[in-house]
Amino acid sequence: MVIWSITFTRIRNEKSLAVESSLADSRNVAAIISSNLEEVLSKALLYSRIGQSVLDGDPHASSYLSPLFLGDSAYLRVAIFDANARLVYSSARQKEEPEFSQLINAAYVSSLMYSQRQGGMIISPPLKKDGYTWRVPLLIPLKSKNNELQGFFTAILDLGYFLKTYKDVSVGSGSRIEILNATGFQLAELSGSTLSGGSNFAGEDYALFLVDNKADGEIRAVRPGEQEQQIGVQRKLDRYPLAVIVSRDPDFVLGKLAPPHRQYRYQAVIISVIVLLFCYGLINIAHRRKRLYEKLLYSEREKSGLIDQLEQEKSRAYQLASHDYLTGIPNRMLFHEIAATELSRARRSRKLYALFFLDLDKFKVINDTLGHAVGDALLQTVATRLRAVLREYDLVARLGGDEFVVLVSEIAAEERVAQIARELIAAISAPYADLEGHEVLTTTSIGIALYPRDGQSVDQLLTSADAAMYTAKKAGSGVYRFYDASLNASAARGLELLARFRQALKNDEFCLHYQPKVEMHDFDIVGMEALIRWEHPEHGLIFPNDFIALAEDHDLIIPLGHWVIKAVCRQLADWKKRGLKVVPVAINVSVKQLQDAQLLETILDALKKYKLPPFLLEIEVTESCFIDDIDSAKDVLEKLRAEGLRISLDDYGTGYAGLSHIKTLPVYALKIDRSFIRDIRNDNSDAMIVASTVSLARNLGLKVIAEGVESKEQLMHLKVIGCDEVQGFYLQRPVSAEQIEPVLQKGRFDPL
């Protein structure tokens, strides 16, 4: 099979190469003929300009025609007519040129105009039926400077003379050369040494290439009157209504390959016989060695079985060494290994990593009173509940006894750490209805250590979390404590703020502060960002870092977002009514707000109520909005943009948005996060990130806004690399609406 496959493949490849070689030769010949034919036709345009001079009254112009044509045998004769079709000049010195007169006939010219191309040339089929179809009349209308018809230049082009120069090419290569006009009429054909013409291929598949948009291509149809498709190319002239076809008979192209191909088949037969005889000998040898092979095979199977058994034992040993035998979750050894890898990744992250150290309250009492079977079942259920509360990629391990440890990665804020601790306590504190026939109640004490604040390594974090756990045990059962005592107060304060949140919305305790956006060219104020604050009756002014995460976790962000939209529109309407300069104000929208079905309606109702144009309200979204469902978020943003609102991507560089997402999102600007601006003068990596972001935005047609500008050096660096807009404490801190009004009236800054 291999021998015959190789043989037939070789034959097929040689035929393909022969066809490709023939096509390449035909393309070269067609290109040369087309180029020479265009050169011949371009001379007609040159002669037509001399004819123009004759019509303009130049008495010496006609004397230049005859010498030119004496040396140009491709043209038999020429004639010049005025606009009324009266003969003005004839190279044959005739008083009348009836053949040319017929060509000039208006109705006849009209019927040929569809074939006219660049240069204003009309090429007609032969008008005389004298057998010389390759003697082709052509006509060029002559126009005055005012574009009025002044007359006609006519000539007889001898395509037969033109093609005779390619006689050796046609005979030597077995080629047929044809010249067609734009309608598909065959003006001339050179086949070997025979010159002919006159076939009409109009409407035939063979001439369909004349109406497509390609300049040249392979022949795709059978020539009328023939049985087999020719191998060749069809090429249209670029500037004139003619086409050249160069083709060869397949028998001529492939006929030379028949003898060697027969030889290949003979060789394949001989080799096949030799191979079969050789195989017969091998089969005999194989039968003799069959028993030896079977013994070896049995030995290999025994060896493979032993290897598999060893691999299973190895896997079982690793499982026993790295996983807790009772709960099936990682033990101390595997936890150290995985946690070390996670912390190495945490060094490149800008998010928090938290280690939770859990100890079951009164586990020893349960174990001693109800028995070890109940204690073991309790530990197994606790491990299952911990896994159910956490994300799939969070790490849970049992260190021994009733001690568990959890490593949670990529946490946005400290408030979320406290929320996770409460969820873990709630999960473990739920009743255990049936543990070996007993109902068991227990709680847990949790110590929390944060990376990198409370430790740089796994051991340091475990030590800190263990210390925090003992602090929690002293405070009572079902309690969590941070290693940093100040965070415990912060967590308690979070619970207090959460309890008052809805009342704060009703009592209108929230307010907005505004920070200008400044254009870098002349430092004009081109926009503002609205930043929410909480005027707490007891704690005073509270910043969003202390309550936004609470609102996100407890589904309060949507009503808070509605309040912000209405408050911004109300303030813009007030400024506009009092005649202050109004610039667009941006508000921040979270991922949960994008999932709110009422978001678009709330925005449009507020704009309509306060009679504001949509461009005065801008939307800022963070990259986290596109992690879970980019298609849904993109759909909402598309609707907002369709209503006239502009959208920018906030905190760019700290999230997960890829280049493919940015290209498809309906944003007009990227806001570079302040963490990249802080050390832009000293940290080369931050400077390169900012510079590449500016370059990327320019290529995508987006603006770049830098936030967190706190010094003149940062401002100048951003101006040099081409940042469009900036905002930050160096220009203006966020202030109340009353305090920002003088800044709006001034309209610009002078930072230098």
Side-chain angles (χ1 to χ4, degrees):
M1 290 177 64
V2 172
I3 292 169
W4 284 98
S5 175
I6 293 173
T7 300
F8 288 130
T9 300
R10 182 178 182 183
I11 292 173
R12 184 170 58 254
N13 290 343
E14 288 186 358
K15 287 183 177 180
S16 298
L17 288 174
V19 170
E20 289 298 325
S21 177
S22 176
L23 287 173
D25 291 342
S26 297
R27 286 192 189 95
N28 293 335
V29 172
I32 294 171
I33 293 174
S34 299
S35 175
N36 292 342
L37 189 55
E38 286 195 352
E39 182 179 353
V40 169
L41 292 173
S42 64
K43 291 181 181 179
L45 295 177
L46 175 63
Y47 303 150
S48 69
R49 287 196 287 270
I50 299 175
Q52 184 82 44
S53 300
V54 173
L55 292 178
D56 289 340
D58 186 348
H60 303 290
S62 61
S63 62
Y64 292 106
L65 281 172
S66 295
L68 286 171
F69 275 96
L70 287 175
D72 192 353
S73 301
Y75 291 94
L76 296 177
R77 68 179 193 277
V78 301
I80 300 172
F81 294 82
D82 61 15
N84 296 320
R86 290 192 297 267
L87 181 65
V88 176
Y89 171 81
S90 170
S91 64
R93 309 300 182 184
Q94 299 184 107
K95 294 183 179 181
E96 293 184 357
E97 290 281 1
E99 186 175 358
F100 289 144
S101 298
Q102 182 182 357
L103 179 63
I104 296 172
N105 182 279
Y108 189 63
V109 170
S110 176
S111 69
L112 292 175
M113 286 302 283
Y114 74 93
S115 65
Q116 184 173 347
R117 289 191 174 184
Q118 181 181 349
M121 182 180 294
I122 300 172
I123 300 177
S124 165
L127 300 177
K128 287 186 176 182
K129 307 299 183 180
D130 54 4
Y132 297 100
T133 58
W134 50 85
R135 295 179 177 177
V136 179
L138 61 84
L139 179 146
I140 301 177
L142 303 177
K143 296 184 179 180
S144 65
K145 294 181 180 180
N146 298 327
N147 205 30
E148 295 179 355
L149 184 64
Q150 192 173 2
F152 302 92
F153 172 84
T154 60
I156 298 295
L157 175 61
D158 189 355
L159 292 176
Y161 175 82
F162 174 79
L163 288 179
K164 284 181 180 179
T165 58
Y166 303 98
K167 179 179 178 181
D168 292 339
V169 174
S170 178
V171 173
S173 63
S175 297
R176 174 196 288 149
I177 302 172
E178 300 174 85
I179 299 178
L180 276 61
N181 69 1
T183 66
F185 184 85
Q186 186 196 60
L187 300 176
E189 174 188 332
L190 179 62
S191 179
S193 59
T194 303
L195 185 64
S196 61
S199 299
N200 191 355
F201 301 131
E204 300 287 348
D205 291 345
Y206 187 69
L208 283 182
F209 76 99
L210 294 169
V211 298
D212 62 22
N213 294 324
K214 297 181 180 178
D216 57 9
E218 298 177 15
I219 294 175
R220 299 294 183 184
V222 178
R223 191 171 184 267
E226 296 183 355
Q227 300 298 321
E228 191 175 5
Q229 181 176 310
Q230 300 291 296
I231 299 173
V233 296
Q234 300 164 322
R235 181 184 181 93
K236 293 185 290 186
L237 271 63
D238 293 333
R239 297 185 297 162
Y240 302 100
L242 293 179
V244 175
I245 301 176
V246 179
S247 61
R248 292 180 181 176
D249 191 327
D251 292 337
F252 180 87
V253 175
L254 303 177
K256 298 178 181 179
L257 299 176
H261 287 177
R262 282 195 298 271
Q263 186 66 27
Y264 297 160
R265 294 186 183 94
Y266 293 150
Q267 292 174 354
V269 170
I270 295 172
I271 296 174
S272 298
V273 171
I274 294 173
V275 169
L276 290 174
L277 293 174
F278 180 72
C279 290
Y280 178 76
L282 289 179
I283 292 171
N284 285 333
I285 295 173
H287 277 296
R288 294 174 185 176
R289 299 189 178 184
K290 182 177 180 181
R291 291 183 180 179
L292 178 60
Y293 171 75
E294 289 176 349
K295 290 181 179 180
L296 290 174
L297 182 60
Y298 179 77
S299 176
E300 288 295 327
R301 286 175 180 172
E302 283 189 337
K303 185 192 297 184
S304 177
L306 290 173
I307 292 173
D308 291 342
Q309 186 176 352
L310 288 173
E311 288 292 337
Q312 292 174 4
E313 292 297 330
K314 180 180 178 182
S315 298
R316 189 179 299 110
Y318 179 78
Q319 179 73 16
L320 292 173
S322 61
H323 287 74
D324 179 53
Y325 73 95
L326 183 63
T327 61
I329 62 177
N331 60 11
R332 182 185 295 270
M333 183 192 77
L334 185 58
F335 173 79
H336 269 265
E337 182 181 331
I338 299 177
T341 303
E342 287 293 320
L343 292 185
S344 66
R345 189 179 300 116
R347 294 185 181 93
R348 300 189 295 271
S349 175
R350 298 174 185 267
K351 301 293 182 69
L352 291 173
Y353 280 63
L355 190 145
F356 299 80
F357 198 108
L358 293 82
D359 183 87
L360 298 182
D361 296 326
K362 301 180 180 179
F363 175 75
K364 189 176 186 304
V365 175
I366 296 171
N367 204 33
D368 293 342
T369 305
L370 301 178
H372 293 291
V374 176
D376 291 346
L378 176 60
L379 293 174
Q380 292 171 343
T381 308
V382 167
T384 302
R385 291 186 180 184
L386 289 176
R387 276 262 50 101
V389 170
L390 299 168
R391 299 168 298 185
E392 183 178 354
Y393 51 85
D394 290 330
L395 180 59
V396 181
R398 180 187 174 210
L399 300 185
D402 61 337
E403 294 180 342
F404 293 85
V405 65
V406 173
L407 179 63
V408 181
S409 57
E410 298 288 343
I411 305 174
E414 293 162 355
E415 291 79 6
R416 177 56 185 159
V417 177
Q419 176 67 21
I420 294 172
R422 291 192 290 270
E423 292 174 0
L424 293 174
I425 291 174
I428 295 177
S429 300
Y432 299 83
D434 185 12
L435 294 181
E436 300 294 328
H438 298 276
E439 182 176 350
V440 178
L441 294 175
T442 187
T443 56
T444 184
S445 299
I446 301 179
I448 306 171
L450 300 181
Y451 174 87
R453 177 186 303 179
D454 302 327
Q456 301 286 328
S457 67
V458 178
D459 289 330
Q460 290 173 346
L461 288 175
L462 281 172
T463 301
S464 299
D466 188 28
M469 185 271 292
Y470 279 105
T471 304
K473 271 195 172 296
K474 292 177 183 179
S477 60
V479 176
Y480 67 89
R481 287 291 182 266
F482 287 91
Y483 179 72
D484 186 344
S486 64
L487 295 180
N488 295 320
S490 175
R493 185 185 184 191
L495 291 174
E496 179 189 351
L497 294 179
L498 180 62
R500 186 181 174 83
F501 205 100
R502 295 186 186 277
Q503 182 181 353
L505 277 173
K506 293 180 181 179
N507 296 344
D508 212 18
E509 294 178 6
F510 294 97
C511 66
L512 293 175
H513 283 192
Y514 298 88
Q515 186 177 39
K517 297 178 185 177
V518 179
E519 195 269 328
M520 291 291 282
H521 179 65
D522 50 14
F523 300 105
D524 286 342
I525 298 174
V526 293
M528 291 190 295
E529 181 178 0
L531 303 167
I532 193 167
R533 304 286 189 265
W534 186 349
E535 293 182 341
H536 197 283
E538 297 176 4
H539 300 298
L541 193 65
I542 301 176
F543 289 86
N545 286 344
D546 294 327
F547 62 84
I548 289 297
L550 291 173
E552 288 277 3
D553 292 336
H554 295 84
D555 296 328
L556 296 170
I557 195 67
I558 291 178
L560 182 62
H562 290 178
W563 183 90
V564 171
I565 293 168
K566 296 172 184 177
V568 168
C569 291
R570 183 168 56 249
Q571 185 62 64
L572 282 169
D574 179 63
W575 282 335
K576 191 174 180 182
K577 181 179 179 181
R578 292 193 285 118
L580 289 174
K581 178 185 176 182
V582 179
V583 294
V585 176
I587 61 173
N588 292 281
V589 174
S590 71
V591 59
K592 289 190 176 180
Q593 288 177 272
L594 289 179
Q595 297 168 355
D596 176 22
Q598 303 298 319
L599 176 64
L600 181 60
E601 182 180 351
T602 301
I603 292 175
L604 297 180
D605 288 347
L607 292 172
K608 182 178 180 181
K609 178 179 179 180
Y610 294 104
K611 300 178 181 179
L612 296 173
F615 73 85
L616 286 179
L617 190 65
E618 296 184 359
I619 303 297
E620 291 187 3
V621 294
T622 61
E623 296 173 283
S624 60
C625 293
F626 312 109
I627 296 174
D628 296 327
D629 190 355
I630 185 172
D631 293 330
S632 176
K634 179 184 174 184
D635 182 59
V636 174
L637 296 179
E638 290 282 7
K639 291 178 180 178
L640 291 171
R641 186 178 68 171
E643 296 293 341
L645 282 79
R646 293 196 302 181
I647 300 151
S648 59
L649 189 61
D650 197 9
D651 297 341
Y652 179 74
T654 63
Y656 304 91
L659 178 59
S660 60
H661 290 167
I662 297 174
K663 290 168 61 179
T664 59
L665 292 174
V667 298
Y668 90 100
L670 302 179
K671 291 192 72 175
I672 303 177
D673 186 68
R674 66 182 66 248
S675 61
F676 296 107
I677 306 301
R678 186 183 304 116
D679 296 323
I680 194 172
R681 295 287 295 171
N682 303 316
D683 192 326
N684 287 335
S685 61
D686 283 347
M688 290 178 65
I689 290 173
V690 174
S692 63
T693 301
V694 172
S695 176
L696 167 67
R698 292 202 179 280
N699 291 334
L700 295 176
L702 304 177
K703 287 185 175 294
V704 178
I705 305 170
E707 54 185 352
V709 178
E710 298 180 357
S711 68
K712 178 180 177 181
E713 290 75 16
Q714 293 173 348
L715 183 70
M716 291 298 98
H717 187 86
L718 291 168
K719 184 176 178 67
V720 168
I721 66 176
C723 191
D724 298 299
E725 300 174 17
V726 295
Q727 67 181 94
F729 287 179
Y730 178 70
L731 298 168
Q732 174 67 57
R733 290 177 175 270
V735 293
S736 64
E738 294 77 13
Q739 293 173 300
I740 203 67
E741 288 181 3
V743 178
L744 284 177
Q745 289 177 337
K746 185 177 180 181
R748 69 185 304 274
F749 287 95
D750 187 11
L752 304 180

